[in-house]
């Protein structure tokens, strides 16, 4: 049995763009990935709304700084064969970070964490696949503009920066923006179809990484 | 689709008593529960080795104090129908707490957290089932004695205290010690058979809570 | 006896605009409110210089992030009938947040805290009255400009944003800028007269909320 | 106007021994002290249930370690003429500290904090009066015994230790056990009469310290 | 024997501009200062790459916020005759602070810490010498621009702001930019020669402060 | 140039048993070691009074839990050839840990930290030498007994436990109790002669580890 941890934000949790709640279980991309990979792989979903790569956000009672929570998530689910990290959207909030390069650096810290955690029983660090989220859209309304000032342009740079980070770190990279686009309803989140598309698209990549 | 979160320590993670690693996926009790309940329920396993109810333990790089991590776990997996919490074994370590009453109080804090987390979208707090772990055994060897001095006797009191806490809080309770016993190899952990027994035993209780 | 907690920053503490110290007890707005309401109400003042809604500020040895301290303040003074929160001025500092929308979001987090704190003895969460501080003035000098770059314009937006937050949360709102203006000496703080004006102005509102 | 901060635990908050809630405002000792001292002094009550001197307690959502919260309380209420600290009862909990000498050391740390906080405007550190709480009684029931194992004996030593700490630090000391006894209902808390007795008894001492 | 603590960032650690590692021991400025001062003085180097004055940076596993670590460094090395603090370069990162005035305020907090730490045995707070680092250069490449947007201009203001902070605090000041310039290779760090120049230049100042 | 970090508590800081202050520079064991090893090695002393291996102690304003500070110390002084850790005495305090096995586990966590820190520039983790401190003596007076109840016996077990931890971890071990004894004045600290003895005794071991 191979084990894969999907670590992300609301795009992984399954936030419905109209704010009405959470996508059905079968429509979330980790579950779609699970269905694609079949019973020989166990896919774990760990998506927290508002999660950022390495930036504090005290507007929530939940700890949103992945650099503060990833270690314990890895300790909980190891031994792992693969960790897929899709983050960056919330870094685009002006007050958190506001630029794509900051997300690259946050992602580099997360990769470092994956590789230096003191796993028990001599377990090896898992492979890493980092994913850039689909760029922010332009129709997010007034609140969107206030939160993400300048973020649309920056979010388009995430794929390039993450690709470079993956090259430097020797890990895998996928641009989720290549198969999914953010909803025009809020310019941030994904409808069910686009969420499913991510799970479907990365299945062959994951199979390849897992030697399936 | 109903969703159940299993929150625990090494007994939930699946620690093999001889220290050789982790039980096979199918032998861990959350997975056995998943198999029993079938496709209409999604069972999430969140077990961290060494996790305590509400006591700090800095001997690990992982945050082991459940009172510091449960909130974010709930924010990650909500909306939830049920949270099953099986903790207490590590509280028996002399340096952490060392007595069963302290575990009852820790469990009461965790129940309080489940019920007061600011879930988004007006989601309701899930039902809670607390479980007392099987009592510590007496053959744990020298290190066991040093860590768990006095803990064997105290661990036998956990079921009574948790039962009382459940009554006071109006939540469900199950004594895992009724269907499972700790391995004679280390006096703490469960072999595969005993781990499976827990998942099997609570399936009807969970079905009842979930109105299945 | 009704109890009211006034939670704020230097405007609540009573900072004299010329930096010479603290307003006399009788000139601070919580005390003016106390005098207006009479002996049947106990008004508690909790104002910390530099306090922000939900943003870290490590330039002080005091914990200035209200999102990290409000819970304990509520636990200290409950049972409470009303919490009045006047914050936002310090959020306007560029390095902390720098925009009014961020203060709205910080205020929303504080309202959430008031409503989800696990009060003992089944005590109910108090009513909430949020207040927007008087907008920053333009004569604050060189240091003011460096700290509050862009903040003057933003501070004028606080009233509108807080009004909206109050509507969404179903709590009360008052624009302190309607009865008080910041001193021309530093563009941030209030002289005694303007501080007193706030206590006087909200007395009927508080009486109404408290059913006096 | 002189200002006095009363910093304590449930004995200062006004916990009714039968667990039914909080003493009436006029029965809490800080308020009795206020009445005794009259309008020329402002007495601030800051009592949190479960507060310890310098020991962590994660069984509560409120920060109970005074060594982590006192600094900010001082920053909130300065300039102060006097800080009265009555703590120690909760230190007697076995899991927190369990011995009176530990409370002395905790109290010494709190005195150190009072004296080294970077007060603004060149404000001086206030005078300090430390108070030992009335010793624990013997009729606290089963839960009491589990929490305070050995604590009754130790609590009788608090007065001697605190007296010594006061001598070493050059601050004032009062043994609240000289005028008040814990209720036989729970062996920990004070009925209204005994709570009032403390406020009455220390009034002349406080007047002396404040040069009234 | 006099003791001097040099507290800084990568410029104190000895970061080689081409990223190849650390300057030789003899080329780091604290060691040059040691050599200049001779055996009657003990110079301690405490430089951490990426250290900021009072701003969080979670892109590293090391605690980079000096306001969170300086207290313990002082407790480790006291009794001290002098603390030299050279920080500010990393504050220029846009996500951390981005302006020189913020560094002045951070430095003021650090001076406050030096002076209010509860040193044991009645040890006195050491003298303080704050140093502004050489301004950022313009040839730092693409990543430099992304991290330090606007920082070049701001870094030129550090000397003036620090000079003013020193005047206000009554401590010593030296502009390291007067004797050293950042390398054209990365626009941030110092080659060996420029690093040595700082140690050499401040030797007479330190001798003067230490009454040697 | 080889670099050695000496990480410890008051025995490394140089606490004079009569509480009068700090040993002269030349009498502290890291400096004696430096003198023995000569100019080709740089020995760094990092001893904090009261430091424990992995246990919290809030009786001080300094962070005494080595598990929380060691990472940053390593980041400050890397690249390192050797880290010498002598801790355990303060763990013997009843409220912190109180037993030697707890110190072994704390030491194991520190070794784990040394080996998993994400050193920059691909620097290797240094070699580790753990040292058990001389056992506590029996004449420490009244306060000693209250702090270290049962600690004398336990402190005699440290050498055995650390030896075992070193074997398991594949690192070096030295029993400082073999060459030094605690002072009869306080039963905890070392006079100058005994402090110097440690530096002298480990010089050949360190030379061996460093291939000198």
């Amino acid at each position: 049995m191979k084990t894969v941890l999907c670590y992300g934000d609301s795009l992984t949790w399954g936030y419905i763009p109209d704010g009405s709640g959470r996508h059905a279980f079968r429509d979330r991309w980790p579950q779609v990935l699970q269905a694609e990979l079949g019973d020989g792989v166990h896919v774990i979903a760990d998506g927290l709304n508002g999660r950022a790569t390495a930036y504090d956000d005290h507007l929530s009672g939940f700890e949103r700084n992945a650099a503060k929570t990833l270690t314990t998530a890895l300790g909980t689910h190891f031994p792992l064969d693969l960790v897929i990290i899709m983050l960056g959207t919330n870094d685009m909030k002006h007050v958190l970070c506001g630029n794509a390069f900051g997300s690259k650096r946050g992602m580099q810290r997360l990769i470092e964490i994956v590789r230096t955690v003191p796993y028990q029983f001599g377990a090896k660090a898992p492979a890493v696949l980092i994913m850039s989220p689909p760029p922010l859209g332009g129709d997010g309304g007034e609140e969107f503009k206030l939160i993400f000032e300048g973020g649309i342009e920056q979010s388009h740079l995430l794929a390039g920066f993450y690709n470079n980070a993956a090259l430097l770190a020797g890990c895998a990279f996928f641009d989720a923006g290549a198969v999914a686009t953010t909803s025009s309803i809020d310019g941030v989140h994904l409808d069910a179809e686009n969420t499913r598309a991510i799970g479907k698209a990365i299945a062959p990549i994951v199979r390849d990484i897992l030697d399936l």
Side-chain angles (χ1 to χ4, degrees), chain A:
Chain A
M1 172 74 76
K2 306 267 185 170
T3 308
V4 176
L5 174 65
C6 304
Y7 205 73
D9 53 23
S10 54
L11 305 188
T12 299
W13 184 77
Y15 191 106
I16 300 176
D18 65 9
S20 63
R22 190 173 188 179
H23 284 307
F25 186 57
R26 67 178 175 278
D27 290 333
R28 305 174 200 157
W29 71 261
Q31 178 57 17
V32 172
L33 177 64
Q34 173 73 80
E36 291 286 322
L37 298 175
D39 286 351
V41 181
H42 178 49
V43 178
I44 301 159
D46 188 325
L48 179 75
N49 292 328
R51 181 173 280 158
T53 58
Y55 302 96
D56 282 343
D57 178 352
H58 301 296
L59 298 173
S60 161
F62 309 106
E63 178 56 65
R64 290 177 159 181
N65 187 336
K68 294 183 175 173
T69 57
L70 180 57
T71 295
T72 292
L74 294 166
T76 300
H77 299 299
F78 89 99
L80 287 159
D81 296 279
L82 172 66
V83 178
I84 306 173
I85 307 176
M86 180 164 73
L87 288 168
T89 297
N90 293 292
D91 295 5
M92 297 301 99
K93 292 170 181 166
H94 186 67
V95 169
L96 266 71
C97 169
N99 65 78
F101 183 63
S103 290
K104 175 191 169 184
R105 284 162 66 85
M107 208 51 119
Q108 288 176 312
R109 171 64 184 140
L110 299 182
I111 296 169
E112 185 180 75
I113 289 173
V114 173
R115 293 180 172 174
T116 57
V117 157
Y119 301 100
Q120 294 174 287
F121 310 117
K124 285 191 183 163
V128 178
L129 163 59
I130 61 175
M131 299 210 290
S132 50
L136 296 169
D139 304 310
E142 193 55 39
E143 294 227 341
F144 174 94
K145 286 194 185 73
L146 292 164
I147 300 181
F148 288 108
E149 186 199 340
I152 298 180
E153 293 71 25
Q154 286 294 319
S155 70
H156 281 275
L157 306 177
L158 285 170
F161 277 123
Y162 283 19
N163 193 5
N164 180 247
L167 280 169
L168 289 169
C171 74
F173 163 73
F174 180 72
D175 175 13
V179 300
T181 55
T182 52
S183 163
S184 63
I185 295 174
D186 71 357
V188 178
H189 297 103
L190 307 171
D191 61 23
E193 190 185 353
N194 278 281
T195 307
R196 283 195 309 262
I198 296 173
K200 209 138 205 162
I202 62 173
I205 299 170
V206 172
R207 242 186 244 112
D208 195 51
I209 295 174
L210 299 180
D211 268 328
L212 295 181

